[in-house]
Amino acid sequence: MDMPMNVPVDDPSADTEWNDILRKHGVIPEKPPSPTPIIEEALQEARRLAYENRLEGKELDELDELEDEEDEQFLEKYRWDRELRKQRLAELSTVSAASIHNSVYPLQKPDYSRDVTEASKICFVLVHLTSSLGTNIESRLLTELWRDLARKFGDVKFCEIRADLCIEGYPEKNTPTILVYRDGDIRRQVVTLRELGGQETALTDLGKLLVSVGAVSPNDHRILRDNRDAPNDPDGRHADRAVGHNVDEDDDWD
């Protein structure tokens, strides 16, 4: 029977030709990787971050004192970024304080004046006059989008009522209808979704409506985010369509 042979090894961690041969044949284990490259990479990353953040926490007068040491373009960019962050935080704070609705309000005709006309003296109120027919695809679509809008734009009040229960004899062919109220008056009326995209109407289309009536700013972070995340529109479906129109110009009520 073959007897195991003891191989002399002075220092298994030594970097010698003999140890390389032993490692190749599995007599001694492979050397663990040197931590030096990992440590050096971590140090380089720490130095990079420290350099990039070297201006954090400095006041404007301190930044002025650094103008001779730092690149002026870099300082200007830093000032701009910091001011932009301040504006964004202020906007988020304002929107958060005003977001008191965040859901769709079902309306009853006796309460319409209080819940819509009077409420519009405090904020924008948008009313969806829905179809009485379950087969009206546009009305069903707008009901779904209405919920999403209400959650996203809590500083705007979104309401919903069946058109024929709100206005006796209201034409079914005119549903869905959007009524935009502010300061006790109708500011905009959109009859069916034809002008917004029909059955392809999306949140971005309704966002444009909110911007066009002044309910939200075009620079509102919610609008900018929706526009950024929206899919491409290669056929230019939204390119030249005006969103909504003035109630005085509409003759579809009859």
Side-chain angles (χ1 to χ4, degrees):
M1 181 175 63
D2 294 337
M3 298 294 295
M5 181 175 59
N6 292 325
V7 179
V9 181
D10 294 331
D11 182 4
S13 63
D15 193 13
T16 64
E17 184 177 356
W18 174 242
N19 281 353
D20 287 342
I21 295 173
L22 296 180
R23 292 190 189 99
K24 181 178 180 181
H25 290 84
V27 178
I28 62 176
E30 294 288 338
K31 285 182 62 178
S34 172
T36 302
I38 299 175
I39 294 174
E40 183 61 32
E41 182 179 348
L43 288 173
Q44 289 179 1
E45 179 66 11
R47 284 193 291 267
R48 183 186 68 80
L49 292 174
Y51 182 77
E52 289 184 355
N53 299 324
R54 63 193 183 280
L55 301 182
E56 288 294 333
K58 294 190 179 296
E59 300 299 331
L60 290 177
D61 55 345
E62 295 177 292
L63 292 175
D64 291 337
E65 294 174 2
L66 290 173
E67 284 187 352
D68 294 336
E69 302 175 19
E70 298 286 350
D71 179 74
E72 177 58 30
Q73 185 176 3
F74 176 81
L75 284 172
E76 189 61 32
K77 181 179 183 301
Y78 179 79
R79 292 191 185 99
W80 170 259
D81 289 344
R82 189 165 71 169
E83 186 62 28
L84 199 61
R85 284 198 299 268
K86 287 173 60 179
Q87 292 177 0
R88 176 68 183 279
L89 288 174
E91 179 190 342
L92 289 173
S93 177
T94 300
V95 169
S96 177
S99 294
I100 59 175
H101 302 295
N102 297 108
S103 62
V104 176
Y105 291 79
L107 295 175
Q108 299 293 328
K109 188 173 181 177
D111 304 324
Y112 194 95
S113 177
R114 181 196 66 196
D115 293 342
V116 177
T117 309
E118 293 301 315
S120 71
K121 297 177 181 179
I122 301 173
C123 66
F124 272 89
V125 179
L126 275 71
V127 180
H128 169 204
L129 300 181
T130 71
S131 168
S132 60
L133 304 176
T135 55
N136 189 318
I137 296 176
E138 288 189 2
S139 187
R140 290 166 56 190
L141 170 62
L142 187 57
T143 292
E144 293 299 319
L145 294 174
W146 225 232
R147 294 194 188 104
D148 293 336
L149 283 172
R151 284 191 291 265
K152 185 183 293 288
F153 299 96
D155 46 333
V156 177
K157 186 175 182 180
F158 292 88
C159 304
E160 197 169 67
I161 184 172
R162 220 173 77 181
D164 60 342
L165 297 181
C166 181
I167 305 170
E168 186 176 354
Y170 190 78
E172 173 66 29
K173 67 183 179 67
N174 287 354
T175 60
T177 293
I178 298 173
L179 302 177
V180 180
Y181 283 79
R182 188 67 171 109
D183 298 324
D185 297 318
I186 296 180
R187 294 289 186 85
R188 186 70 61 86
Q189 170 190 322
V190 182
V191 177
T192 76
L193 299 183
R194 182 180 63 247
E195 297 181 48
L196 301 179
Q199 296 179 17
E200 297 180 7
T201 299
L203 278 176
T204 49
D205 298 305
L206 293 170
K208 292 174 185 177
L209 174 61
L210 293 177
V211 170
S212 72
V213 299
V216 296
S217 165
N219 294 321
D220 188 292
H221 70 279
R222 297 165 295 183
I223 294 293
L224 296 176
R225 183 173 60 236
D226 283 349
N227 289 340
R228 183 188 65 233
D229 296 341
N232 293 330
D233 187 22
D235 58 358
R237 182 173 65 84
H238 301 127
D240 301 314
R241 189 195 305 118
V243 181
H245 50 275
N246 191 288
V247 68
D248 294 333
E249 299 172 351
D250 193 336
D251 58 359
D252 286 339
W253 281 91
D254 299 329

